[in-house]
């Protein structure tokens, strides 16, 4: 612990003096791009009320647009620095009692526009126009609504300090067309699709952006963006005049129905029979289940324009987006996967905190869930309750196997009950304070969590964030002294703080975080316990030169250290990277790091005593390594059809934890080569990692991508291969229309010897209304039988699912 405190003091002393002083009002070199706003941008823009609705067809030929307010005179903010844009842009706005209308006119050479009939939310690497709507004018959060030249939508929420979340869906209408002098887009956004404050004198914050992909991802903004400020929303413009909006309550009902037929490989014999008859080999058998009908319903009720109640019964969470394959060999800690389910994505930003106390993928299969969320005045809140039947849901094979059933009988058909409470209050102009509490309760597994957090804007360049959490758990904890799981109560704390400074050519992030040994967050995500981390990251960057072949450079460097709550060092790392940007959207990066790692046997198993061997082989209860790493990466988009990415990296003297990697790669440590059942013998290994990805857009409607990743570990003492993993992923999509597409995805993992395929036909005219026909297949290829462990040449199917999923959005105003 004392080493961490010492490092923290050193890092604080290294903060440049100008970061600690108050920001001067005079224009400095770091803000040389600051300009005086013209009156039409310095004061709020009054949005006119339309007496007639425009037809949303992308043509801009309705007379009503002549009465709209016009936003023009954009600035190029990337790669240029508030200079004249390459192409002009105009945006028109108006509203009526039910809709907010926008029209974009983007001037350009139509033959050079980069746009496809893309899937929803897949347009950021194309030409597009965007609007940021800060509907509460709090400079903390804004809707992000983007449209490509064909009117394809991307929607999400941008949170200061939290980044972009494009999993949010907003029901709206948009159309776009390519014209003789560029492209035009028309948009109608129902007010009932937004959470907002409106009325006499109310202001909305607004940013209007345009991206021109071929000009090195040029970004043009209606408001100038001063580099070297910590907030984008602080620099937003404002609109007003949104009065007389219909404030009726909105009711949305989305019934769903999924029909599925599943088959999978299962055991032939119960485990008790196999234990009694060791000569019997169980290769399993493939069983096709009967067609299953799974109805459900989700209901959303807009209590006010800014408070929403969501309720769902037996929600259909059949995934139409599969998780990306990842390397799982030689991993000590859990791997994070994003949430993809619509019910939990709605309003998810309110539950986000620096320490991930809420990760809704821990709610695996809820029978029902209810959520209340919104914002009133300066107060944001969220309440989530769910009943999850996954912990008590067991397969037929498990229930029919006496040796398994006796262990799980008390859990069968029991549900876990989950609760989350979140409250956050805006403080000052751009700061906030909050609290969060979660509860998870199941048989022999209870966890309660509570804490506070905050984000404090110290000045225009500096932000301080913090979080403190306390937990209490009644559950089984592994005790390395007794070498067994002990049912007991465990109390723990976790903390986080950071200091983030951003200026034009320099920035830094200094942070600390830690979790004690018994810390558990059963509704959240916990990567590691009994650890503290202190780190510092520094950025140095040049002023970009948008007209040059070599646009600019950025250097990142950093230091970090980990130590446990007993004061023992666990890790240390120092790195530096150089990032170069060229035309043709070419980016080249190289990074070098020097690291130290130390591990203790009680992190892996029993702690040694005078009469008992510990988790590690030999006489040492700990191991340590000093290693290095070097990598090079590149990405380029030379034209509108092709994008390429590549990566190669080498690591010297990194730990092989001696777990082995399945039947294809048994343990190769010196101890394991002498005795396969020897205790763990972690030691140094070298790795070579590479990755290549290619995306090609054959037509505006059809694109395909292929990604190849290879990871190779070699044990230094023995020269043996720890594992080799090759992962190949092929994706192909044909977009018949904006709303109808067919998609094929194939993933091949050599380490797992698995081939996964997904074939999907979809019609998705708006969020909530959809029709899917899909087929998922999982096979072994030259792999090993999951029950007998014997090698199986060729293809062997492990599971398959055919499904039809349909839902429909009924939307009414009350």
């Amino acid at each position: 612990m004392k080493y961490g405190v010492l490092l923290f003091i050193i890092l604080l002393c290294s903060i440049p003096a100008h970061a600690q002083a108050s920001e001067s009002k005079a224009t400095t070199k770091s803000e040389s791009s600051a300009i005086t706003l013209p009156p039409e941008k310095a004061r709020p823009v009054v949005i006119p009320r339309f007496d007639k609705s425009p037809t949303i067809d992308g043509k801009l030929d309705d007379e009503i647009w002549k009465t709209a307010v016009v936003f023009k005179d954009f600035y190029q903010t990337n790669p240029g620095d508030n200079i004249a844009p390459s192409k002009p842009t105009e945006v028109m706005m108006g509203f009526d009692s039910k809709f907010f209308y926008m029209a974009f006119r983007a001037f350009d050479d139509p033959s050079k526009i980069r746009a496809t009939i893309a899937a929803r939310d897949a347009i950021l690497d194309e030409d597009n126009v965007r609007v940021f709507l800060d509907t509460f004018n709090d400079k903390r959060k804004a809707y992000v609504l983007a449209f490509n030249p064909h009117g394809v939508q991307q929607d999400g929420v941008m949170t200061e300090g939290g980044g972009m979340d494009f999993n949010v869906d907003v029901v709206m209408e948009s159309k776009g067309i390519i014209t003789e002098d560029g492209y035009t887009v028309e948009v109608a956004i129902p007010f009932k699709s937004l959470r907002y404050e409106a009325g006499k004198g109310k202001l909305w914050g607004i940013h209007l952006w345009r991206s021109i992909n071929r000009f090195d991802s040029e970004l043009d903004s209606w408001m100038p963006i001063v580099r070297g400020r910590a907030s984008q929303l602080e620099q937003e413009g404002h609109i007003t005049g949104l009065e007389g909006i219909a404030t009726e309550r909105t009711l949305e009902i989305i019934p769903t129905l999924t029909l599925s037929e599943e088959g999978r490989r299962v055991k032939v014999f119960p485990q008790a029979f196999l234990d009694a008859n060791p000569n019997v080999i169980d290769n399993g058998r493939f069983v096709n289940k009967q067609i299953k009908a799974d109805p459900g319903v989700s209901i959303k009720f807009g209590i006010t324009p800014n408070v929403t109640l969501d309720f769902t019964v037996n929600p259909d969470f059949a995934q139409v987006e599969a998780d990306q394959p990842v390397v799982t060999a030689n991993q000590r800690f859990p791997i994070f996967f994003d949430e993809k389910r619509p019910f939990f994505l709605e309003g998810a930003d309110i539950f986000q905190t620096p320490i991930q106390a809420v990760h809704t993928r821990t709610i695996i299969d809820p029978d029902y869930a209810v959520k209340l969320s919104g914002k009133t005045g300066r107060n944001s809140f969220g309440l989530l309750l769910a009943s999850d039947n996954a912990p008590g849901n067991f397969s037929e094979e498990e229930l029919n196997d006496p040796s398994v059933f006796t262990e799980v009988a008390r859990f069968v058909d029991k549900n876990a009950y989950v609760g989350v409470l979140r409250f956050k209050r805006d403080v000052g102009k751009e700061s906030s304070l909050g609290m969060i509490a979660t509860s998870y309760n199941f048989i022999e597994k209870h966890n309660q969590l509570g804490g506070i957090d905050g984000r404090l804007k110290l000045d225009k360049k500096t932000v301080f964030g913090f979080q403190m959490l306390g937990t209490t758990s009644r559950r089984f904890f592994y005790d390395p002294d007794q070498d067994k799981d002990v049912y007991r109560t465990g109390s723990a704390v976790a903390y986080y703080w950071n200091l983030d400074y951003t200026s034009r050519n320099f920035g830094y992030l200094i942070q600390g975080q830690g979790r004690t040994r018994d810390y558990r967050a059963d509704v959240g995500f916990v990567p590691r316990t009994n650890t503290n981390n202190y780190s510092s990251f520094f950025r140095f960057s040049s002023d970009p030169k948008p007209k040059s072949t070599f646009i600019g450079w950025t250097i990142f460097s950093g230091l970090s250290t980990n130590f446990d709550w007993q004061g023992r060092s666990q890790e240390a790392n120092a790195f530096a990277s150089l990032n170069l940007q060229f035309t043709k959207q070419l980016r080249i990066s190289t990074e070098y790091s020097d690291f130290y790692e130390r591990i203790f046997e009680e992190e892996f198993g029993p702690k040694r005593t005078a009469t008992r061997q510990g988790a590690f082989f030999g006489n040492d209860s700990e191991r340590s390594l000093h290693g290095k790493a070097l990598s090079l990466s590149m990405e380029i988009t030379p034209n509108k059809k092709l994008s390429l990415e590549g990566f190669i990296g080498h690591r010297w003297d990194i730990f092989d934890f001696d777990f082995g990697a399945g039947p294809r790669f048994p343990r190769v440590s010196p101890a394991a080569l002498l005795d396969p059942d020897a205790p763990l013998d972690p030691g140094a290994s070298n790795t070579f990692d590479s990755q290549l990805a290619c995306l090609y857009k054959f037509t505006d409607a059809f694109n395909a991508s292929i990604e190849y990743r290879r990871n190779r570990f070699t044990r230094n003492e023995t020269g043996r291969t720890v594992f080799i993993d090759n992962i190949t992923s092929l994706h192909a999509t044909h977009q018949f229309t904006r709303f109808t597409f067919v998609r094929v995805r194939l993933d091949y993992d050599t380490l797992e010897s698995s081939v996964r395929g997904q074939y999907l036909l979809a019609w998705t005219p708006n969020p909530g209304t959809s029709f899917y026909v899909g087929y998922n297949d999982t096979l072994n290829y030259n792999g090993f039988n999951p029950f007998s462990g014997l090698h199986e040449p060729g293809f062997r199917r492990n599971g398959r699912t055919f499904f039809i999923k349909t839902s429909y959005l009924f939307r009414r105003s009350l």
Side-chain angles (χ1 to χ4, degrees):
M1 189 72 174
K2 62 183 180 181
Y3 301 110
V5 174
L6 178 60
L7 177 64
F8 176 55
I9 295 173
I10 294 174
L11 292 177
L12 283 181
C13 293
S14 70
I15 299 175
H18 67 268
Q20 299 177 2
S22 299
E23 193 174 66
S24 172
K25 293 183 179 180
T27 300
T28 65
K29 182 179 179 180
S30 66
E31 294 201 359
S32 59
S33 62
I35 63 176
T36 302
L37 288 175
E40 64 270 18
K41 298 186 180 186
R43 58 174 178 255
V45 178
V46 179
I47 306 300
R49 188 181 186 92
F50 285 176
D51 56 15
K52 184 180 180 181
S53 301
T55 301
I56 305 301
D57 55 12
K59 296 180 180 179
L60 305 190
D61 55 359
D62 297 275
E63 286 293 318
I64 194 67
W65 285 119
K66 295 180 180 179
T67 68
V69 65
V70 180
F71 299 76
K72 56 185 180 181
D73 298 328
F74 280 55
Y75 304 87
Q76 182 187 145
T77 60
N78 183 70
D81 188 5
N82 292 326
I83 64 176
S86 301
K87 302 291 181 180
T89 307
E90 294 180 354
V91 183
M92 293 173 279
M93 289 186 192
F95 79 102
D96 60 24
S97 63
K98 294 185 177 181
F99 291 91
F100 184 71
Y101 299 103
M102 292 188 298
F104 298 85
R105 188 189 300 276
F107 295 91
D108 206 344
D109 181 343
S111 66
K112 297 181 179 179
I113 291 172
R114 295 186 179 182
T116 63
I117 310 299
R120 185 186 182 95
D121 288 341
I123 64 171
L124 279 188
D125 63 344
E126 302 184 347
D127 291 350
N128 64 81
V129 288
R130 274 172 270 174
V131 59
F132 291 68
L133 290 176
D134 178 5
T135 54
F136 291 95
N137 192 34
D138 60 11
K139 299 179 177 58
R140 294 165 176 85
K141 184 172 67 175
Y143 290 99
V144 185
L145 310 177
F147 313 90
N148 82 349
H150 296 295
V152 178
Q153 302 170 2
Q154 182 172 48
D155 43 7
V157 170
M158 180 252 191
T159 305
E160 287 290 2
M164 300 280 194
D165 179 7
F166 287 114
N167 291 308
V168 176
D169 287 326
V170 176
V171 178
M172 55 185 168
E173 185 180 2
S174 63
K175 294 288 179 62
I177 58 173
I178 295 177
T179 64
E180 293 182 354
D181 58 356
Y183 66 90
T184 55
V185 179
E186 283 182 300
V187 183
I189 307 169
F191 284 108
K192 60 187 177 183
S193 293
L194 306 174
R195 295 181 179 182
Y196 62 90
E197 282 188 341
K200 188 174 180 61
K202 295 292 185 180
L203 301 180
W204 285 12
I206 191 168
H207 270 308
L208 296 168
W209 289 3
R210 177 187 177 185
S211 178
I212 308 177
N213 185 262
R214 71 183 184 277
F215 294 146
D216 302 306
S217 300
E218 176 179 326
L219 187 65
D220 302 331
S221 172
W222 179 65
M223 291 291 290
I225 303 295
V226 177
R227 298 179 183 182
R229 290 191 181 179
S231 171
Q232 288 183 347
L233 296 184
E234 174 202 3
Q235 305 178 64
E236 65 192 8
H238 292 90
I239 58 177
T240 188
L242 301 172
E243 303 174 13
I245 298 174
T247 57
E248 67 267 17
R249 294 178 175 88
T250 303
L251 177 65
E252 295 182 5
I253 302 177
I254 305 177
T256 62
L257 176 64
T258 300
L259 301 176
S260 61
E261 194 274 334
E262 180 185 8
R264 60 189 179 92
R265 185 154 38 164
V266 299
K267 283 186 175 182
V268 175
F269 305 105
Q271 188 60 45
F273 177 83
L274 295 174
D275 293 339
N277 298 272
N279 294 325
V280 175
I281 298 176
D282 188 349
N283 288 316
R285 61 191 178 97
F286 199 85
V287 175
N288 290 309
K289 295 186 177 182
Q290 294 182 347
I291 295 177
K292 178 183 178 183
D294 196 11
V297 64
S298 295
I299 301 173
K300 179 185 293 185
F301 180 56
I303 300 174
T304 69
N306 50 15
V307 178
T308 302
L309 177 67
D310 294 90
F311 180 71
T312 183
V313 176
N314 192 27
D316 172 46
F317 290 149
Q319 284 192 9
V320 295
E321 292 283 352
D323 290 320
Q324 182 76 14
V326 295
V327 178
T328 58
N330 207 54
Q331 296 288 336
R332 293 177 62 191
F333 307 112
I335 297 174
F336 181 85
F337 292 99
D338 290 326
E339 179 63 87
K340 300 176 182 291
R341 301 170 296 181
F343 175 83
F344 291 114
L345 292 174
E346 170 68 25
D349 55 282
I350 184 63
F351 298 107
Q352 294 176 354
T353 59
I355 304 174
Q356 196 145 14
V358 177
H359 181 40
T360 49
R361 281 191 69 149
T362 57
I363 307 172
I364 301 171
D365 188 14
D367 286 331
Y368 63 85
V370 61
K371 179 168 54 179
L372 179 69
S373 58
K375 182 170 185 176
T376 59
R378 287 179 166 266
N379 302 315
S380 302
F381 60 89
L383 173 66
L384 171 65
L385 303 173
S387 175
D388 187 4
N389 68 18
N393 190 9
F394 297 89
S395 67
E396 294 180 10
E397 293 74 26
E398 291 171 319
L399 297 177
N400 293 330
D401 188 335
S403 62
V404 176
F405 182 78
T406 55
E407 296 293 325
V408 303
R410 63 189 183 281
F411 305 123
V412 174
D413 294 332
K414 304 297 184 181
N415 280 27
Y417 297 97
V418 177
V420 180
L421 175 63
R422 173 68 167 152
F423 177 82
K424 186 164 65 173
R425 180 170 176 81
D426 297 343
V427 178
K429 289 186 177 181
E430 298 175 58
S431 300
S432 63
L433 296 173
M435 61 80 63
I436 193 165
T438 71
S439 177
Y440 184 96
N441 292 282
F442 187 63
I443 300 171
E444 297 180 352
K445 188 178 181 181
H446 305 274
N447 175 250
Q448 323 301 323
L449 174 150
I452 59 173
D453 60 278
R455 184 177 187 269
L456 307 177
K457 187 77 174 293
L458 304 184
D459 55 44
K460 291 183 177 181
K461 300 180 181 181
T462 314
V463 177
F464 177 75
F466 70 91
Q467 186 169 14
M468 287 290 300
L469 294 174
T471 70
T472 180
S473 304
R474 183 68 178 170
R475 56 176 294 164
F476 282 97
F477 291 86
Y478 176 73
D479 188 335
D481 292 315
Q482 303 182 52
D483 189 23
K484 67 177 183 179
D485 291 327
V486 177
Y487 190 72
R488 62 178 177 83
T489 299
S491 298
V493 298
Y495 68 90
Y496 171 90
W497 60 265
N498 78 342
L499 185 67
D500 190 345
Y501 174 83
T502 302
S503 68
R504 182 182 179 85
N505 302 111
F506 172 74
Y508 63 78
L509 172 67
I510 300 175
Q511 64 182 19
Q513 57 184 314
R515 294 169 292 275
T516 57
R517 184 187 65 169
D518 289 346
Y519 177 81
R520 299 293 184 274
D522 290 338
V523 188
F525 179 77
V526 184
R528 187 178 188 178
T529 60
N530 191 22
T531 189
N532 299 270
N533 171 270
Y534 288 123
S535 56
S536 61
F537 305 94
F538 302 90
R539 170 188 59 84
F540 306 88
S541 57
S542 67
D543 287 330
K545 300 177 180 178
K547 303 299 182 181
S548 173
T549 301
F550 174 52
I551 296 174
W553 55 264
T554 304
I555 295 175
F556 293 98
S557 64
L559 300 168
S560 68
T561 182
N562 279 60
F563 54 94
D564 64 22
W565 287 76
Q566 291 75 48
R568 302 177 298 184
S569 62
Q570 295 173 318
E571 295 179 17
N573 183 42
F575 81 94
S577 68
L578 173 63
N579 304 270
L580 308 176
Q581 182 179 357
F582 302 85
T583 57
K584 299 291 185 182
Q585 294 177 275
L586 171 62
R587 294 176 175 83
I588 300 175
S589 301
T590 183
E591 180 175 315
Y592 173 80
S593 63
D594 193 299
F595 58 85
Y596 166 81
E597 187 172 6
R598 182 186 184 194
I599 58 177
F600 305 92
E601 64 180 358
E602 59 264 33
E603 298 177 283
F604 296 80
K607 195 173 183 179
R608 66 186 60 213
T609 65
T611 58
R612 184 184 66 201
Q613 172 70 46
F616 287 170
F617 177 80
N619 299 321
D620 295 327
S621 61
E622 64 177 72
R623 307 281 174 94
S624 63
L625 286 176
H626 178 199
K628 298 176 175 60
L630 181 65
S631 66
L632 175 69
S633 62
M634 181 198 75
E635 59 180 272
I636 185 173
T637 305
N639 54 57
K640 66 180 180 180
K641 289 184 176 292
L642 179 65
S643 296
L644 294 169
E645 294 182 16
F647 170 86
I648 55 173
H650 191 63
R651 291 175 289 176
W652 294 266
D653 295 330
I654 188 172
F655 264 116
D656 161 32
F657 297 119
D658 201 22
F659 296 150
R664 193 180 301 277
F665 294 101
R667 298 164 56 199
V668 295
S669 65
L673 293 180
L674 295 174
D675 177 8
D677 296 322
L680 294 178
D681 188 15
S685 64
N686 291 343
T687 76
F688 184 79
D689 308 314
S690 60
Q691 181 174 343
L692 179 64
C694 173
L695 169 65
Y696 194 79
K697 299 176 180 179
F698 293 88
T699 68
D700 285 353
F702 176 65
N703 68 79
S705 67
I706 186 169
E707 181 179 352
Y708 172 74
R709 285 172 287 166
R710 178 180 174 86
N711 300 86
R712 180 187 180 109
F713 264 66
T714 304
R715 184 72 181 237
N716 292 0
E717 299 103 315
T718 63
R720 302 289 187 91
T721 300
V722 178
F723 72 86
I724 298 175
D725 195 2
N726 300 276
I727 298 177
T728 305
S729 298
L730 173 65
H731 299 188
T733 302
H734 191 281
Q735 201 84 26
F736 299 102
T737 69
R738 285 175 53 192
F739 309 123
T740 306
F741 65 88
V742 61
R743 184 174 68 213
V744 176
R745 173 172 179 166
L746 295 172
D747 297 305
Y748 175 45
D749 188 332
T750 60
L751 182 60
E752 301 292 336
S753 303
S754 68
V755 179
R756 296 190 310 180
Q758 184 184 66
Y759 314 90
L760 187 70
L761 173 66
W763 175 67
T764 57
N766 61 57
T769 299
S770 61
F771 180 79
Y772 297 98
V773 178
Y775 178 73
N776 298 330
D777 210 350
T778 304
L779 305 97
N780 276 3
Y781 177 64
N782 292 335
F784 295 83
N785 187 285
F787 308 121
S788 68
L790 299 176
H791 183 260
E792 295 179 326
F795 287 97
R796 293 291 189 276
R797 177 170 280 116
N798 287 326
R800 63 173 183 81
T801 303
F802 175 79
F803 66 90
I804 297 175
K805 171 188 172 182
T806 183
S807 64
Y808 189 81
L809 169 62
F810 294 92
R811 202 176 205 208
R812 295 291 182 269
S813 297
L814 305 179

